[in-house]
Amino acid sequence: MNETERVELSNLLFPNLKHDREYYENMYPERDLPEGAMVTRYGPSPTGLVHLGNLLSAFADMSYAKQTKGSFYLRIEDTDQKRMVEGGIENIVGVLNDFEIMPTEGYTFGGNYGPYRQSERTEIYQTYIKDLIIKGLAYPCFMTEEEIAAIKEEQEINKTKIGIYGVYATDRDLSLEEIKEKISNGEEYVIRLKSPGNLEKQVEIKDCIKGKLKFPEHNVDTILLKKDGTPTYHFAHAIDDHLMHTTHVIRGDEWVSSLPLHIQLFQVLGFKPVKYAHIAPITIKDKETGNIRKISKRKDPWFSVKYYDENGIPIKALHLYLATITNTNFEEWYLKNTDKDINNFEFSFDKQAIGGTSFDEAKLENLCKTYFSRKSGKEVYEETLTWAKKHNEEYAKQLEENKDDMIKFLSIEKDGPRPRKDISKYSDVEEEFSYAIDSKFEKENFSKYDGEKTYDTELVLNYIENYLDLDSNNEEWFNKVREFAIENGYAGSPKEYKKDPENFKGHVGDICEAIRVMITGRTKSPDLLSILKILGKDKISKRVKLYKNYINN
Ligand code: GLU
């Protein structure tokens, strides 16, 4: 076919396009961004639930763009209409909002490079295809599914590469007349790339995370436009990332094997190549087999993003965890820099584990504890209340009714170099601070402590009722308890007691623990004197009464 014929063919295939390629090139000019700014995108297909791996790549997109004062946009990749699920798009947008991984532009976020939904870009894709047809770089292919299946079977028997290429690509050389005839016969067609690749030659690609990769050139006449006129993922990727001026494609490494095709598409289309960063999937050590495997929807509750919300893992703490998966040096940095937040950390592709990272529940929990320890009591109160309003209404009401005291309790042992690390999620607060709310304490079942230790009830009640001094400081307070303990046959320290257990009824720590159990209903709590001071004399007497009732019944 000569050029005149190709122009005729292009008009025959696409008679109604309003614009040419130049029009779109001018419509989406280079972005005006500072030197080194990264333009990243999250390109989900709305085919099901959003999982931790999706959040991870969106988080990396956001972090790199933010750090370089670039742009992070959301593009809905809905070219495969058959695999779409209802509500899938709303769900994606909702998850990004809920998890505070906010694009700076894109679908529902606005911007100058839209539409940001691939199903609304058909005309753009077709315009570029038309241009490829004119240049002789793509062609209509009328092969039926049966014909393609037969070729595949033959290739399998011959153990040669599967696909339409070389001698198998018979429609490459159809004449204009033949094509016209097939179209007038109503034969359906796709548009294929006329691949210029040669399997004998190698392409070398530098992946930002994986480093140098070497592949044979792509030589298959891959489908670019489907029978219904919509693009395949590969073609849409090239067009969109070019026109939207993406600088870095950060995506799951299931796409690595498509790289030779993608590199070729950018070349054939005459586009400046983008940089790629392929993230390995999150793995996990299987509890039963001990083997490392991909994190799974069926086996691992952490897979679905719902888990984090329902269990009350703070979003910002989850960000810390995503940052540790993104960069292996993040955790150490964060624990060392007690006064800095994630925005001060410099993410870098070469600090990303090439083989992926294993999900580590203990690490997540530890980061969450650190996160809470750095929050003021008031902040913990407010965040917990917000979470409880959604997941535990009754507790939310109690929190509101006890706001002032609750904040005081949550503020105990917050100052100093080692703030308390007792909560790792909002859902822990109710149990850890059960003593803070009277109505909860009233339901306290002291019998759960009975087996653990026998408390000298009379003695301790006598102390609380007659000697408790709420005006003293910690040291004075403890000295007084110790004096009382010694006078009553207890050792003044656990060490002394251990040396000669026969000689003592116990040690001062046992008395403190008994006070703690009677007043808080717990064997562990933040600083006891602080709790006693917040409760005050009246509440303490009420609690003593409750405890007496318990023993007398
Ligand atoms: N739509 C693709 C997916 O959901 C995105 C791949 C990409 O980021 O290029 O897997």
Side-chain angles (χ1 to χ4, degrees), residues 4 17 20 43 57 65 129 136 183 221 244 255 261 310 347 365 384 406 445 480 487 522 541:
T4 322
L17 293 175
D20 63 3
S57 65
I129 289 278
I183 292 179
D221 286 0
M244 298 179 184
W255 295 106
L261 166 62
E310 282 168 6
F347 286 94
E365 190 178 319
T384 307
M406 199 65 212
N445 176 8
K480 282 184 187 165
E487 274 164 27
R522 296 174 56 85
S541 324

Side-chain angles (χ1 to χ4, degrees), residues 41 43-45 77 233 237 249-251 254-255:
R41 86 293 194 274
S45 300
E77 306 210 326
Y233 160 72
H237 152 52
V249 169
I250 303 172
R251 62 185 180 186
E254 67 273 23
W255 295 106

Side-chain angles (χ1 to χ4, degrees), residues 108-127:
T108 70
F109 295 94
N112 298 328
Y113 291 84
Y116 294 94
R117 183 176 173 173
Q118 290 183 330
S119 58
E120 293 169 15
R121 301 171 61 78
T122 310
E123 232 182 276
I124 302 177
Y125 304 124
Q126 293 188 352
T127 303

Side-chain angles (χ1 to χ4, degrees), residues 41-47 54 57 61 75-79 83 92 118 233 237 241 249-252 254-255 262 276 278:
R41 86 293 194 274
Y42 176 48
S45 300
T47 52
N54 303 133
S57 65
D61 284 319
R75 181 171 73 223
I76 301 295
E77 306 210 326
D78 56 348
T79 52
R83 288 181 56 224
I92 289 165
Q118 290 183 330
Y233 160 72
H237 152 52
D241 283 315
V249 169
I250 303 172
R251 62 185 180 186
E254 67 273 23
W255 295 106
H262 294 169
Y276 290 94
H278 287 94

Side-chain angles (χ1 to χ4, degrees), residues 114-352:
Y116 294 94
R117 183 176 173 173
Q118 290 183 330
S119 58
E120 293 169 15
R121 301 171 61 78
T122 310
E123 232 182 276
I124 302 177
Y125 304 124
Q126 293 188 352
T127 303
Y128 279 80
I129 289 278
K130 188 171 178 180
D131 186 62
L132 290 181
I133 300 265
I134 296 173
K135 291 176 174 152
L137 300 170
Y139 64 92
C141 171
F142 297 85
M143 284 176 155
T144 61
E145 279 175 24
E146 293 74 35
E147 283 171 313
I148 293 170
I151 289 175
K152 188 173 176 215
E153 210 180 303
E154 187 189 321
Q155 288 169 334
E156 274 166 355
I157 293 169
N158 295 336
K159 296 201 167 48
T160 52
K161 185 171 173 152
I162 308 291
I164 303 304
Y165 58 91
V167 292
Y168 304 104
T170 46
D171 284 7
R172 257 188 183 216
D173 303 315
L174 291 176
S175 68
L176 180 59
E177 286 318 306
E178 286 168 315
I179 293 175
K180 278 185 180 167
E181 193 183 325
K182 283 177 182 290
I183 292 179
S184 63
N185 289 343
E187 282 186 44
E188 291 186 315
Y189 62 88
V190 298
I191 306 288
R192 285 186 189 270
L193 167 71
K194 199 179 265 184
S195 173
N198 177 351
L199 262 196
E200 307 296 316
K201 287 196 196 151
Q202 300 270 318
V203 261
E204 210 176 86
I205 299 154
K206 194 180 163 285
D207 184 273
C208 297
I209 296 170
K210 295 185 185 291
K212 253 193 214 153
L213 303 171
K214 242 182 171 177
F215 301 95
E217 278 185 8
H218 181 81
N219 74 328
V220 174
D221 286 0
T222 305
I223 299 176
L224 304 181
L225 210 64
K226 295 179 274 190
K227 282 182 187 161
D228 62 4
T230 64
T232 53
Y233 160 72
H234 308 292
F235 190 65
H237 152 52
I239 299 299
D240 293 349
D241 283 315
H242 165 68
L243 287 179
M244 298 179 184
H245 298 276
T246 307
T247 62
H248 290 74
V249 169
I250 303 172
R251 62 185 180 186
D253 72 0
E254 67 273 23
W255 295 106
V256 166
S257 58
S258 304
L259 264 178
L261 166 62
H262 294 169
I263 304 283
Q264 188 170 82
L265 279 175
F266 274 75
Q267 279 166 357
V268 167
L269 285 157
F271 295 161
K272 182 176 153 208
V274 283
K275 293 201 170 74
Y276 290 94
H278 287 94
I279 304 183
I282 299 172
T283 54
I284 195 164
K285 191 168 180 177
D286 192 282
K287 281 214 177 86
E288 279 162 33
T289 65
N291 294 337
I292 301 284
R293 56 164 173 79
K294 259 199 209 177
I295 189 167
S296 114
K297 177 173 164 181
R298 214 163 32 85
K299 294 186 184 155
D300 310 309
W302 311 280
F303 179 86
S304 161
V305 297
K306 265 202 300 207
Y307 172 85
Y308 304 93
D309 183 35
E310 282 168 6
N311 285 276
I313 309 263
I315 290 154
K316 295 286 189 212
L318 183 62
H319 284 194
L320 299 176
Y321 188 59
L322 292 173
T324 68
I325 309 184
T326 304
N327 272 195
T328 47
N329 57 333
F330 176 80
E331 189 183 13
E332 199 191 328
W333 176 89
Y334 178 70
L335 296 178
K336 221 189 298 167
N337 290 283
T338 46
D339 56 340
K340 297 215 168 91
D341 77 4
I342 204 162
N343 295 320
N344 302 104
F345 179 76
E346 201 172 316
F347 286 94
S348 130
F349 287 121
D350 41 82
K351 291 286 173 3
Q352 181 129 4

Side-chain angles (χ1 to χ4, degrees), residues 473-488:
N473 66 26
N474 257 336
E475 199 186 327
E476 293 161 355
W477 188 80
F478 188 70
N479 282 339
K480 282 184 187 165
V481 185
R482 184 162 41 213
E483 264 168 43
F484 179 82
I486 295 171
E487 274 164 27
N488 288 282

Side-chain angles (χ1 to χ4, degrees), residues 445-462:
N445 176 8
F446 294 101
S447 67
K448 67 184 175 208
Y449 304 106
D450 283 354
E452 291 183 19
K453 216 168 263 176
T454 327
Y455 298 116
D456 190 340
T457 313
E458 287 305 316
L459 184 77
V460 176
L461 285 173
N462 175 22

